[in-house]
Amino acid sequence: MSLKIPFGSPIIGEEERRVVAEVLSGPILVHGPKAVEFETAFAGFVGAPHAVAVSSCTAGMHLLYFSLGLGAGDEVIVPAMTHVATAHAVALTGARPVFVDAEPETGNIDLDRIEAALTERTRALAVVHYLGMPVNMERVRQVADRHGLFVVEDCALACGTRFDGVHAGLWGDAGVFSFYPVKHITTAEGGMVVTRDGLLADRIRLLRAFGVDRAHGERKIPGVYETVALGFNYRMSEIHAAIGVEQVRKLPAFLQARSENYRVLRDSLQEIPGIRILEGQHGAGTRYTHSWYCLNVMLDEELIPQRARIIEAMSAAGVGTSVYYPHPVPRFQYYQQQESYNLPRYAQAAAIADGTLALPVGPHLNGDDMAIIAQTLRMIIKGIH
Ligand SMILES: *Cc1c(COP(=O)(O)O)cnc(C)c1O
């Protein structure tokens, strides 16, 4: 089914097609200059001293926890309202994710509840900039510094997100971005770890390629290399990186289009009864710079049982929507089977999972599309009332 207004759609142009063809015509498909060029370009956009390209955001987060030596008996604070990958990256090491509920206004981790969740086993703190709305990273740093915690920022939806003017990913010990097709930019699959810590960046580079001490291109004599650590194959290929180089160039224009679409859609939704925009106090002129991933609306109580109907009717009218995320992570079957999480503890995350509807504002759409989205939603809600 192809929608007139899809929720997300990668924007791939002639530039991407040309560079991919160039890479495919050459001899180097991995371990080449494109990955380095993409790392440099992305680091430049974020303002990061170090950037390491990896095969996905999940891979990057797993690398970070693995590099800390986390294992059974360790705990990591993880927001309940996030993509399951944020928790899986912890669980893959054998460590235990300890979930913390969301703030109702933004969907971000409730900073007031973190300290109650800490134990002597807590090693790290993961935060997610939910739908690109920045977490108050000054407060995160205070908690982390007080308790000696390593901070991982899941920046999968945070290209362009800033707190106090500093890009997401640079407040924590490391940040990890995703280039999956419906994120701000895409490489088909891909991710990027950014950090201010040069030693950590070196360690991630080593572990993303088997723990082998010399990259392929640095081996003067074939077969002369040493394996100095246990590691993965979490590299990004030259084909993916070449797409990334072109996408980073387009990122400022993509963000501009998103912010414009968001503004138009927000204005057009004002008089629709039964909905409220989930964005907190994050207007212009504050410390919070949004990445405008989507516009998330919370349905009023009487509309919540009708959400599936609303989604279907929107889709029938050609408008794609999404739900971020369908469950608080501890409510997913897999995590339920791991331990008996006390679900009422994640009531705010559950309210967002069960009661919100995400509307598209991506750069594949324009102001006319925003008017159609608002008009369609208005008619559907009117039909229900
Ligand atoms: C998409 C997403 C991920 C997963 O990214 P991959 O690159 O597909 O591994 C992780 N966290 C959040 C918040 C996401 O939205």
Side-chain angles (χ1 to χ4, degrees), residues 56-58 61 82-83 85-86 128 154 156-157 178 180 183 190 325:
S56 71
C57 176
T58 308
M61 293 190 290
T82 183
H83 190 293
T86 321
V128 176
D154 180 336
L157 300 178
S178 171
Y180 182 74
K183 314 288 182 174
Y325 291 87

Side-chain angles (χ1 to χ4, degrees), residues 91-352:
L92 279 167
T93 66
R96 173 175 179 251
V98 174
F99 296 104
V100 169
D101 202 8
E103 357 171 272
E105 289 308 310
T106 63
N108 278 328
I109 190 167
D110 188 338
L111 299 172
D112 292 331
R113 291 174 189 265
I114 290 176
E115 285 190 294
L118 301 177
T119 71
E120 70 282 357
R121 295 159 178 254
T122 313
R123 300 275 311 278
L125 163 58
V127 297
V128 176
H129 305 286
Y130 174 73
L131 305 178
M133 290 178 241
V135 175
N136 182 330
M137 292 306 296
E138 184 181 44
R139 290 194 53 202
V140 169
R141 276 259 61 104
Q142 283 165 358
V143 175
D145 293 345
R146 201 177 303 139
H147 299 279
L149 302 176
F150 187 89
V151 176
V152 172
E153 292 179 67
D154 180 336
C155 297
L157 300 178
C159 278
T161 296
R162 289 168 188 274
F163 181 73
D164 276 353
V166 174
H167 202 287
L170 298 178
W171 284 90
D173 292 276
V176 191
F177 293 81
S178 171
F179 309 126
Y180 182 74
V182 297
K183 314 288 182 174
H184 289 75
I185 57 173
T186 188
T187 59
E189 294 276 15
M192 190 75 77
V193 178
V194 302
T195 179
R196 296 182 187 279
D197 182 341
L199 289 176
L200 179 62
D202 289 346
R203 187 77 188 155
I204 296 302
R205 276 180 209 287
L206 182 71
L207 299 182
R208 84 174 159 177
F210 311 115
V212 163
D213 65 348
R214 252 161 290 190
H216 193 263
E218 295 164 13
R219 291 181 211 152
K220 298 277 179 294
I221 308 164
V224 178
Y225 64 84
E226 193 48 85
T227 302
V228 297
L230 183 63
F232 303 89
N233 179 355
Y234 278 169
R235 287 181 306 245
M236 177 182 281
S237 84
E238 291 291 282
I239 302 166
H240 296 85
I243 301 171
V245 170
E246 300 308 316
Q247 291 271 299
V248 179
R249 282 193 232 287
K250 300 177 179 180
L251 181 48
F254 286 171
L255 285 169
Q256 181 62 39
R258 282 183 176 278
S259 111
E260 181 64 17
N261 283 341
Y262 189 101
R263 195 183 55 73
V264 172
L265 184 56
R266 177 170 47 192
D267 289 350
S268 331
L269 293 175
Q270 286 314 328
E271 336 81 83
I272 302 184
I275 62 168
R276 167 172 75 80
I277 298 172
L278 206 78
E279 61 181 0
Q281 307 304 310
H282 297 175
T286 71
R287 309 170 74 187
Y288 300 83
T289 309
H290 207 303
S291 73
W292 316 114
Y293 179 67
C294 62
L295 191 152
N296 208 20
V297 298
M298 174 64 83
L299 303 174
D300 279 359
E301 213 152 320
E302 79 277 9
L303 284 178
I304 288 176
Q306 308 297 327
R307 184 173 68 166
R309 246 180 85 195
I310 297 173
I311 291 171
E312 269 174 45
M314 292 287 283
S315 176
V319 178
T321 59
S322 193
V323 171
Y324 287 89
Y325 291 87
H327 293 289
V329 177
R331 205 170 74 183
F332 276 116
Q333 198 183 92
Y334 174 77
Y335 284 96
Q336 289 282 306
Q337 285 163 357
Q338 299 313 299
E339 61 181 279
S340 49
Y341 284 105
N342 178 8
L343 293 183
R345 206 173 272 169
Y346 316 109
Q348 301 303 335
I352 292 169

